[in-house]
């Protein structure tokens, strides 16, 4: 999450302090339409996975907490075993 926070601070030089995990990044205009594809590229780089835009909604990018949950959470052992068996 540090790289994401650093990127958000870089894009918003007037932003001071930490960004709350529940802060609405879009409503607060920390991510705008011009930066959105760059943000997705950053998430793909951090996660090591491609993001299929057909399988996500804008709400998946709305808060740092949701970004963490949707794109950066490591699946638990049961999910990994299920995926390996599938």
């Amino acid at each position: 999450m540090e790289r994401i926070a650093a990127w958000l601070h870089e894009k918003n030089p007037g932003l001071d302090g930490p960004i709350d995990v529940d802060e609405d990044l879009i409503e607060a205009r920390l991510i705008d339409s011009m930066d959105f594809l760059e943000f997705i590229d950053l998430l793909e780089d951090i996660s090591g996975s491609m993001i299929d835009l057909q399988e996500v909604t804008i709400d998946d990018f709305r808060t740092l907490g949701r970004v963490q949950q949707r794109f950066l959470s490591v699946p638990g052992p049961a999910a990994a075993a299920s995926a390996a068996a599938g």
Side-chain angles (χ1 to χ4, degrees), residues 56-72:
V56 295
T57 69
I58 194 68
D59 289 333
D60 292 324
F61 304 94
R62 196 164 288 281
T63 67
L64 290 177
R66 181 65 179 144
V67 166
Q68 173 77 34
Q69 178 185 24
R70 180 70 169 89
F71 303 107
L72 305 176

Side-chain angles (χ1 to χ4, degrees), residues 9-80:
H9 278 87
E10 178 184 313
K11 294 293 178 182
N12 301 279
L15 181 63
D16 290 329
I19 302 165
D20 188 78
V21 295
D22 294 321
E23 170 108 29
D24 190 319
L25 304 174
I26 296 164
E27 288 292 321
R29 300 183 188 264
L30 298 178
I31 299 174
D32 63 22
S33 59
M34 301 298 287
D35 295 325
F36 193 70
L37 290 178
E38 187 178 338
F39 185 62
I40 291 173
D41 188 51
L42 174 68
L43 293 177
E44 288 177 339
D45 186 51
I46 293 170
S47 70
S49 300
M50 296 295 295
I51 296 173
D52 184 347
L53 296 180
Q54 301 289 329
E55 296 180 7
V56 295
T57 69
I58 194 68
D59 289 333
D60 292 324
F61 304 94
R62 196 164 288 281
T63 67
L64 290 177
R66 181 65 179 144
V67 166
Q68 173 77 34
Q69 178 185 24
R70 180 70 169 89
F71 303 107
L72 305 176
S73 292
V74 177

